[in-house]
Amino acid sequence: MNSQEVLSLYETVAVITDQMLVAARKRDWEELVVLESRVAGHVSSLKTGEEPTALTGPTRLRKVQIIQKILAHDRLIRDITEPWMAELAILMNSSGTERKLSQAYGGKFAG
């Protein structure tokens, strides 16, 4: 890949991570997973296709700006999803505890 193709891929990833942030804000977890998969495909392409060449001038600056944008999106997405994942873990643990009590007491437990 040449430098323009690489920048184009990075820009595509930035657009998708912005869409991921929108999905996370809406708590649309299914869409977030779909978009995350798309990002993974592009990142894989970058890993295999990006030549380790030193970029200079505006091209280097643009790549840095795009990466900073992607990282900012990632941080904001994590700020949204990490508390939700903690809530989910509590709910799953609570549900598991209720199920165990129900099994232990023959379904007479009404948690």
Side-chain angles (χ1 to χ4, degrees):
M1 267 189 270
N2 66 36
S3 61
Q4 278 310 116
E5 291 170 325
V6 169
L7 280 181
S8 179
L9 266 176
Y10 275 99
E11 288 173 344
T12 299
V13 169
V15 168
I16 297 170
T17 58
D18 187 51
Q19 294 169 351
M20 289 172 65
L21 180 56
V22 170
R25 285 180 173 149
K26 289 187 206 175
R27 297 177 79 98
D28 186 348
W29 310 127
E30 290 177 19
E31 179 68 9
L32 184 62
V33 169
V34 168
L35 293 167
E36 187 176 34
S37 178
R38 286 182 52 205
V39 165
H42 290 299
V43 169
S44 178
S45 294
L46 284 167
K47 286 180 181 179
T48 59
E50 185 177 6
E51 305 251 342
T53 56
L55 300 177
T56 58
T59 305
R60 176 182 162 86
L61 180 61
R62 182 67 188 137
K63 182 178 176 184
V64 169
Q65 290 171 335
I66 296 167
I67 291 171
Q68 288 173 336
K69 186 176 186 179
I70 292 167
L71 292 174
H73 289 158
D74 183 64
R75 179 74 262 153
L76 292 169
I77 292 165
R78 287 177 190 274
D79 288 347
I80 295 167
T81 59
E82 285 175 355
W84 178 80
M85 293 295 288
E87 290 174 27
L88 182 61
I90 290 168
L91 286 172
M92 290 176 66
N93 188 31
S94 174
S95 177
T97 301
E98 185 175 326
R99 189 172 37 254
K100 287 177 190 173
L101 287 171
S102 180
Q103 289 171 347
Y105 295 101
K108 295 179 184 175
F109 177 74

